[in-house]
């Protein structure tokens, strides 16, 4: 019964929704997502229309089946991971590449549905906010680095580490930087920074428009041959891009290799979506069902590839804009998805001469927006958080995003275990009777301290107060049992004051 | 050392039809097929960078396989220096400029999949050619049998007699025949806008299927007629600057008349 409630679209929010506000925020969201979608499609290595398909169809399914105001669609980190995964197997942007991206996206959806069946939403509780913050900062650095070439009109810088790119650009800027491209991206970035306060919803669109006008003037005065500014090209938007995915034996060999990538992308997508929806649940809509959100994400990525969409997930920046504009239900996401189709269909012809430096500038802004000083200062206050966040950022930047996710999960768990294994012993003495109140979890990693103390004071009569022990595993029970037997042989005593810990009760 | 004297055993190149029938293609073959599709129907298979109704095959006749019809078996000639842009041109730059000038579109980036696919197709057509040596019947023939300057008025008469049934009186093209001028045709910066080159192409290949039926003088005249028609501006000129120049020119005309 509860499974059915998670699987079927649920329109119980309909009656409570403020339709006018939801629609307004949806349309603003559509305007916001279009430059992002084109940029993320560029990051994936596909034509701009694929990003728009993702912003329309993945977002539509995830809002239709979800139950929060979270906005889905193309996502920075997922886009980077998709391109990293497919690049070795096919020429960037070729029909085969497109097919592989869509098949990988389908695999991501299937993995996410499997995680839903395994109750994945609970799993992501262990990914600490600091680790997610670290991933976000690392992705921001990667985005800024990858936008560097586009904004400056430099082509094909391939380096092993991200900082080398900055060095090359700084060291030989006079030879490799295209001044026209740099002017266009500077116009876009400066106007975005200036307009952010006045037009918090539409400033990216206006900034891109200003960059485009600067580009058109440059194009008109010196001509495209002289300026060498890369243009977007015609966006061929099909409002119903149905696609049948074919899988041949040759595909299968490649797809098998892609399974780890699919798992990594699925986990990262769900992690981001769940961070967002958990945030929404605690802040404004307690009725949000996280399992239902996981199902909606998985389903959107399973359905998406059949509409030529690559894998997406919840978006931090677009959700926060939607919430700011008053969205509280999935209605705004549904309106946004439909508006993307309408706008992209009508706007397509005007996008042809959009200069790429303006789009790369958006990428730079999105990347910079992911590095929040406020968050960094928050993490810096705790040593554990600072370590988890720092290690994650370092790994993402120097080893790669996939490794960064693994490191984020591992360090979160390690520090969680470390903090959980802290046991305090409150020792009071009364003559030769020792009273030890234990506070904390007793398990394989934390039992050593207690055992060491008991061994060091063998002859005394000891009462062990376990009422403040919430959890005790078999290793701890065995150890306490052994100590008690030793005490009995030596003529001493070990008494237990039992709490709810069932294992100890049996041993006693 | 023994091998040097032996003729190279070149495996027969599979035809496009044979490639299409295969169930498994490697990276190169799939790029060749993609390139072939782009050459045969550019607006459909490379819509992002194409800006008019022309396909590559409209000038590189029969997919670049016609001798004297700008054949595409020229991979061995690149990289080469070209006067047009004054730099050493790789085959990639050559293809990208075709999108900009002849297709009146947007210059694709160097790593655009469309460019790589067309380069693979050109490579496929060039198998068996000698590197650095121009293939036979390369480009278009140079006309030596003309004895008068090109005469566009005569050219218009030739056009009405021999060309109009396929290319239409307004040059917009009928059916699969390409537009020869107007907004849907090549720009003023295209190679075909060169009268000598266009004349050689027309004499050797036009009317399609009845090449060399016009005299060389007639071909030259009709090429001059085409050259005078309106078409998109040369992308080497800034459109705004061109507009401003025309405006200043027009102002000068107004004041001069007074």
């Amino acid at each position: 019964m509860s499974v059915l409630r998670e699987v079927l679209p649920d329109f119980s929010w309909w009656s409570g929704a403020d339709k006018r506000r939801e629609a307004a925020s949806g349309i603003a969201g559509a305007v916001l997502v279009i430059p992002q979608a084109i940029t993320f499609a560029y990051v994936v290595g596909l034509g701009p229309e694929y990003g728009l398909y993702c912003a329309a169809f993945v977002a539509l399914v995830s809002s239709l089946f979800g139950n929060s105001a979270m906005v889905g669609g193309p996502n920075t980190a997922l886009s980077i991971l998709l391109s990293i995964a497919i690049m070795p197997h096919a020429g960037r942007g070729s029909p085969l590449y497109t097919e592989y991206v869509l098949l990988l996206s389908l695999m991501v959806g299937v993995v996410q549905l499997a995680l839903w069946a395994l109750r994945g939403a609970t799993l992501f509780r262990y990914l600490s906010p600091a680790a997610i913050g670290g991933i976000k900062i690392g992705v921001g650095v990667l985005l800024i680095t990858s936008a560097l070439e586009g904004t400056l009109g430099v082509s094909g810088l391939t380096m092993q580490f991200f900082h080398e790119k900055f060095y090359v650009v700084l060291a030989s800027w006079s030879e490799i930087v295209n001044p026209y491209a740099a002017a266009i991206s500077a116009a876009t970035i400066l106007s975005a920074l200036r307009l952010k306060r006045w037009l918090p919803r539409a400033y990216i669109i206006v900034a891109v428009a200003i960059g485009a006008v600067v580009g058109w003037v440059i194009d008109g005065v010196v001509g495209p041959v002289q300026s060498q500014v890369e243009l977007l090209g015609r966006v061929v938007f099909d409002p119903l891009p149905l696609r049948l995915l074919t899988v041949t034996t040759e595909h299968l060999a490649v797809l098998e290799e892609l399974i780890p990538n699919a798992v990594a992308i699925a986990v990262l997508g769900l992690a981001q979506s769940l961070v967002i929806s958990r945030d929404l649940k605690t802040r404004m809509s307690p009725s949000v069902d996280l399992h239902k959100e996981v199902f909606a994400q998985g389903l959107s990525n399973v359905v998406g590839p059949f509409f030529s969409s690559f894998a997406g997930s919840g978006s931090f920046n677009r959700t926060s804009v939607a919430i700011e504009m008053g969205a509280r239900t999935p209605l705004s996401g549904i309106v946004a998805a439909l508006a993307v189709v309408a706008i992209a269909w009508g706007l397509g012809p005007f996008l042809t001469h959009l200069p790429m430096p303006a789009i790369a500038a958006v990428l730079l802004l999105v990347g910079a927006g992911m590095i929040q000083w406020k968050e960094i200062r928050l993490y810096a206050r705790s040593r554990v958080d600072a370590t988890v966040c720092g290690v994650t950022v370092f790994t993402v930047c120097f080893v790669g995003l996939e490794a960064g996710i693994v490191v984020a999960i591992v360090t979160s768990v390690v520090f969680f275990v470390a903090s959980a294994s802290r046991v305090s012993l409150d020792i009071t003495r009364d003559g030769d009777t020792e009273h030890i109140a234990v506070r904390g979890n007793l398990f394989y990693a934390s039992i050593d301290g207690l055992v060491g103390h008991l061994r060091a004071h063998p002859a005394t009569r000891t009462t062990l107060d376990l009422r403040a022990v919430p959890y005790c595993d078999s290793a701890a029970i065995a150890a306490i049992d052994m100590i008690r037997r030793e005490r009995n042989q030596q003529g001493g005593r070990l008494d237990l004051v039992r709490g709810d810990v069932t294992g100890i009760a049996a041993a006693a | 050392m023994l091998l040097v004297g032996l003729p190279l055993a070149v495996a027969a190149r599979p035809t496009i039809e044979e490639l299409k029938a295969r169930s498994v293609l490697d990276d190169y073959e799939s790029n060749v097929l993609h390139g072939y599709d782009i050459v045969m129907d550019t607006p459909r298979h490379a819509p992002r960078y194409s800006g008019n109704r022309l396909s590559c095959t409209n000038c590189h006749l029969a997919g670049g396989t016609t001798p004297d019809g700008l054949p595409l078996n020229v991979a061995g000639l690149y990289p080469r220096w070209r006067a047009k842009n004054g730099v050493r041109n790789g085959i990639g730059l050559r293809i990208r400029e075709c999108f900009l000038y002849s297709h009146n579109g947007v210059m694709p980036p160097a790593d655009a999949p469309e460019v790589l696919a067309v380069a693979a197709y050109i490579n496929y057509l060039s198998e068996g050619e000698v590197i650095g040596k121009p293939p036979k019947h390369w480009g278009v023939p140079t006309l030596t049998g003309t004895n008068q300057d090109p005469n566009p008025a005569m050219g218009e008469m030739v056009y009405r007699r021999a060309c109009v049934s396929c290319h239409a009186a307004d040059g917009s093209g009928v059916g699969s025949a390409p537009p020869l001028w107007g907004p849907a045709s090549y720009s003023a910066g295209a190679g075909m806008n060169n009268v000598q080159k266009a004349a050689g192409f027309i004499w050797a290949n036009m009317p399609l299927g009845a090449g060399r039926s016009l005299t060389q003088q007639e071909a030259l005249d009709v090429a001059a007629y085409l050259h005078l028609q309106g078409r998109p501006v040369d992308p080497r000129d800034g459109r705004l600057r061109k507009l401003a120049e025309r405006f200043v020119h027009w102002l000068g005309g107004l004041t001069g008349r007074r």
Side-chain angles (χ1 to χ4, degrees), chain A residues 45-68:
Chain A
L46 297 178
E49 58 273 19
Y50 289 94
L52 297 172
Y53 296 148
C54 182
F57 297 102
V58 170
L60 180 66
V61 175
S62 70
S63 285
L64 214 52
F65 285 82
N67 57 358
S68 77

Side-chain angles (χ1 to χ4, degrees), chain A residues 425-438:
Chain A
L425 304 178
D426 190 6
I427 303 164
T428 46
R429 265 172 205 284
D430 180 19
D432 60 344
T433 308
E434 191 181 29
H435 183 88
I436 304 177
V438 183

Side-chain angles (χ1 to χ4, degrees), chain A residues 143-500:
Chain A
L143 271 185
I144 292 173
T145 317
S146 67
L148 200 63
E149 285 142 289
T151 46
L152 299 177
V154 180
S155 59
L157 288 182
T158 40
M159 315 271 153
Q160 197 176 358
F161 296 121
F162 77 97
H163 58 276
E164 292 172 340
K165 229 185 230 179
F166 290 96
Y167 173 74
V168 168
V169 169
L170 284 176
S172 47
W173 62 273
S174 58
E175 291 148 48
I176 57 174
V177 170
N178 178 340
Y180 301 111
I184 294 169
S185 43
T188 311
I189 292 170
L190 290 180
S191 42
L193 294 179
R194 259 207 95 64
L195 291 168
K196 195 169 182 178
R197 197 170 312 150
W198 306 109
L199 299 164
R201 276 139 211 146
Y203 73 97
I204 288 209
I205 291 287
V206 178
V208 167
I210 290 172
V213 170
V214 171
W216 290 331
V217 170
I218 288 174
D219 196 86
V221 174
V222 301
V225 176
Q226 173 72 33
S227 71
Q228 292 283 333
V229 170
E230 197 182 326
L231 302 177
L232 178 65
R234 194 143 62 92
V235 179
V236 190
F237 188 83
D238 177 359
L240 203 65
L242 289 175
R243 181 188 276 262
L244 212 62
L245 299 174
T246 50
V247 180
T248 67
T249 45
E250 200 198 0
H251 282 105
L252 280 178
V254 174
L255 293 182
E256 205 183 312
E257 267 181 60
L258 291 176
I259 290 174
N261 301 81
V263 174
I265 297 171
V267 168
L268 186 68
L270 282 189
Q272 297 188 57
S273 305
L274 282 170
V275 169
I276 296 168
S277 43
R278 220 166 58 189
D279 187 42
L280 292 179
K281 185 181 168 79
T282 47
R283 274 202 300 153
M284 43 194 46
S285 351
S287 64
V288 168
D289 178 351
L290 296 183
H291 291 299
K292 191 169 170 58
E293 289 294 307
V294 173
F295 177 79
Q297 289 298 318
L299 187 71
S300 70
N301 287 332
V302 166
V303 173
F306 295 98
F307 290 90
S308 308
S309 307
F310 53 82
S313 79
S315 155
F316 289 105
N317 63 54
R318 295 198 300 276
T319 305
S320 63
V321 170
I323 296 298
E324 240 172 76
M325 291 206 60
R328 293 293 177 271
T329 69
L331 183 59
S332 83
I334 294 169
V335 172
L338 298 176
V340 165
V341 175
I343 296 174
W345 204 9
L347 207 66
F350 297 99
L351 295 175
T352 305
H353 291 274
L354 197 66
M356 290 305 276
I359 293 171
V362 175
L363 201 61
L364 203 82
L365 288 168
V366 173
M370 294 187 94
I371 305 171
Q372 293 282 346
W373 294 114
K374 216 169 32 175
E375 271 178 36
I376 295 176
R377 245 177 284 143
L378 186 71
Y379 301 141
R381 269 197 244 147
S382 138
R383 261 219 337 259
V384 171
D385 279 357
T387 315
V388 170
C389 180
V391 167
T392 308
V393 171
F394 182 85
T395 319
V396 171
C397 291
F398 286 96
V399 185
L401 195 47
E402 295 141 284
I405 296 160
V406 174
V407 166
I409 294 174
V410 168
T411 47
S412 310
V413 170
V414 163
F415 280 104
F416 170 72
V417 170
S419 69
S421 65
R422 214 166 292 144
V423 173
S424 75
L425 304 178
D426 190 6
I427 303 164
T428 46
R429 265 172 205 284
D430 180 19
D432 60 344
T433 308
E434 191 181 29
H435 183 88
I436 304 177
V438 183
R439 186 178 291 276
N441 293 309
L442 284 181
F443 65 111
Y444 60 92
S446 63
I447 191 72
D448 287 355
L450 178 64
V451 169
H453 176 84
L454 292 174
R455 284 253 165 85
H457 307 82
T460 45
R461 183 192 155 104
T462 309
T463 317
L464 209 52
D465 184 351
L466 298 181
R467 276 176 302 188
V469 175
Y471 167 75
C472 186
D473 80 341
S474 58
I477 295 166
I480 293 172
D481 231 22
M482 198 173 69
I483 296 277
R484 195 155 53 166
R485 243 177 286 127
E486 282 174 22
R487 290 280 168 101
N488 287 342
Q489 281 167 11
Q490 292 160 1
R493 260 195 90 149
L494 182 68
D495 291 325
L496 299 182
V497 180
R498 283 178 257 121
D500 306 331

Side-chain angles (χ1 to χ4, degrees), chain B:
Chain B
M1 280 301 108
L2 244 176
L3 286 170
V4 173
L6 294 174
L8 287 170
V10 179
R13 190 178 75 189
T15 64
I16 290 291
E17 272 60 42
E18 279 165 11
L19 284 181
K20 279 197 170 156
R22 284 192 193 167
S23 57
V24 176
L25 294 170
D26 65 17
D27 185 40
Y28 170 63
E29 290 161 345
S30 66
N31 265 313
V32 168
L33 272 189
H34 188 207
Y36 172 78
D37 286 338
I38 291 172
V39 166
M40 296 311 283
D41 191 350
T42 314
R44 189 164 148 226
H45 293 284
R48 194 164 168 196
Y49 304 112
S50 152
N52 58 23
R53 268 172 43 214
L54 297 186
S55 290
C56 307
T57 190
N58 291 143
C59 297
H60 303 284
L61 295 172
T65 59
T66 308
D68 286 335
L70 298 166
L72 287 175
N73 54 347
V74 293
L77 294 181
Y78 290 90
R80 70 190 275 116
W81 188 88
R82 287 176 73 233
K84 186 165 187 166
N85 48 21
V87 293
R88 181 171 165 278
N89 285 222
I91 191 77
L93 180 59
R94 187 72 193 80
I95 296 165
R96 291 161 66 206
E97 291 205 333
C98 259
F99 276 103
L100 179 64
Y101 293 108
S102 300
H103 293 282
N104 188 33
V106 164
M107 191 193 255
D111 59 349
E114 288 86 347
V115 174
L116 301 182
V118 173
Y121 176 65
I122 291 175
N123 202 71
Y124 159 86
L125 288 183
S126 309
E127 277 174 39
E129 300 292 341
V130 176
I131 290 178
K133 184 183 161 206
K136 277 181 193 160
H137 301 286
W138 173 46
V140 294
T142 309
L143 300 189
T144 49
T146 57
N147 37 26
Q148 283 160 29
D149 282 349
N151 181 342
M154 292 295 291
E156 183 173 6
M157 285 166 65
V158 177
Y159 185 83
R160 290 190 186 288
R161 170 165 58 84
C163 317
V164 83
S165 61
C166 291
H167 292 292
D170 62 351
S172 61
V174 178
S176 65
L180 297 182
W181 66 83
S185 189
Y186 52 88
S187 81
M192 201 47 96
N193 204 35
N194 175 317
V195 174
Q196 292 294 337
K197 246 187 227 169
F201 177 82
I202 292 165
W203 177 71
N205 301 292
M206 291 288 138
L208 197 62
R212 309 193 183 216
S213 62
L214 300 175
T215 67
Q216 295 198 351
Q217 184 62 45
E218 282 173 332
L220 186 64
D221 291 345
V222 89
Y225 173 68
L226 294 184
H227 186 76
L228 290 183
Q229 307 305 318
R231 60 181 70 258
V233 299
D234 188 334
R236 279 168 292 191
D237 299 325
R239 273 158 222 243
L240 277 180
R241 200 179 56 194
K242 203 86 181 160
L243 205 68
E245 273 170 21
R246 264 184 218 160
F247 183 67
V248 169
H249 192 74
W250 175 73
L251 272 185
L254 279 186
T255 50
R257 216 173 288 157
R258 265 182 205 162

